[in-house]
Amino acid sequence: MGGPLADAVHIPSGERGAFLRFLAAMVVGTLFGLLGELGSATLRGLGRTTVAAGVTAVTLVVHLGLIVLGVLTHQGLWIVPVAAGSAGVLEIALVLMLLARREGLRRPRGRLTPDRGTLSLVGTIGVPVSASYLVLFLVSLLLLRIVSVGGPDVVAGFNLGYTLQSALIVPAVAFGSAVALLMNQRLGAAEPTAARALFHKGLRVTLVAYAVPTGVLLAAPDALAAALSTEPQVREALAEFLTVAGPAFGCTGVALMVLTVLEQTGRGPLAVMLNVFYFAVVVALGLYVVDGPGDVPRLYWVMCAAAAVALAVVVPLGLGTAARLRPPPAATPGVPRPRRGVRP
């Protein structure tokens, strides 16, 4: 995969070897991080949300601290995969220790046999969630390929803007996961009304939360671009991206929150199909409207319009799905509510 990726982002031949080595190092480092996140997700699923948040905070501090230390000691770009791998190993160790001490996790005896219920959850929830992240990754590469016709400054500006968008929408995915977890608890306790109320409350919180960055992006895209880049050409390209596509970041965040809830409450295949259709339309229209360097802003308009349409479609769909929620056959009325402090 390294070669096609290098081709997709137009890596010069003289830097191709370094790119592939760095990519391989990042894959290894990220693998440890993924295993650590799996453990933290297990803690959250067991109701240890505060403990999981503490583990994540410690891991993040170590991760960023190692990068800063590497920069100060002139270790070069290789400190990034080293920091990612080290933080991942630390998170794995902390999670295993906490699971062993607090949840009684022990090495199983005898032969392991697959549990059909677990496999069913993996198929209906785990696979769609993973597929959605894979789609996001592929779309990022395709969009980068489209904007590459604008030259290195446009690519740099787009990367900064897209990174800002990712930083703004990732909390929506995490918040959607938290809402879905609490909704599933209420459904498991045969309380569909409470589950619906959780979704409505989570949606309102998300809408209010994203009103703030949307207002900033509408009011001051140039100032934000100036704060993120000191290079005049890159700053100009970033400002153009933020001016056109930035106001729709909030639409994307709210839509992703709703899709995440759908994914994790038994509507995974539907959410994946919506994700694939949405991004397929964006990429197809982007390829159609961008022919040369001056056409790149047309892609930004496509992204803005698509995000607004997605919000208009996904929110009513989520509300309709929530209205039809029913407890599973094995639901047990009267199951205690989540511990105090565990809120969406």
Side-chain angles (χ1 to χ4, degrees), residues 121-277:
L121 287 175
V122 170
T124 58
I125 296 178
V127 171
V129 171
S130 300
S132 293
Y133 278 102
L134 180 61
V135 169
L136 289 172
F137 166 73
L138 292 175
V139 168
S140 298
L141 286 177
L142 291 172
L143 292 178
L144 191 60
R145 176 80 176 189
I146 294 173
V147 302
S148 64
V149 300
D153 293 329
V154 172
V155 170
F158 174 80
N159 272 330
L160 281 172
Y162 205 76
T163 300
L164 177 62
Q165 178 185 5
S166 299
L168 287 174
I169 65 177
V170 164
V173 177
F175 185 69
S177 294
V179 172
L181 187 152
L182 296 177
M183 288 175 62
N184 284 327
Q185 287 179 337
R186 293 304 91 219
L187 289 173
E191 297 179 7
T193 301
R196 285 191 285 271
L198 280 166
F199 176 75
H200 292 158
K201 182 178 180 181
L203 180 59
R204 289 195 298 270
V205 169
T206 307
L207 287 168
V208 172
Y210 277 101
V212 176
T214 299
V216 172
L217 287 163
L218 280 170
D222 293 334
L224 187 57
L228 292 174
S229 177
T230 58
E231 295 291 332
Q233 293 83 0
V234 175
R235 184 168 63 244
E236 181 181 352
L238 173 59
E240 188 169 34
F241 176 77
L242 294 179
T243 299
V244 177
F249 289 175
C251 297
T252 304
V254 175
L256 282 177
M257 177 270 176
V258 175
L259 286 174
T260 301
V261 172
L262 292 176
E263 285 175 345
Q264 299 184 28
T265 53
R267 305 299 190 278
L270 173 62
V272 172
M273 285 190 294
L274 289 172
N275 262 328
V276 171
F277 178 76

Side-chain angles (χ1 to χ4, degrees), residues 74-89:
H74 307 288
Q75 297 300 314
L77 195 60
W78 289 100
I79 191 61
V80 177
V82 170
S86 301
V89 170

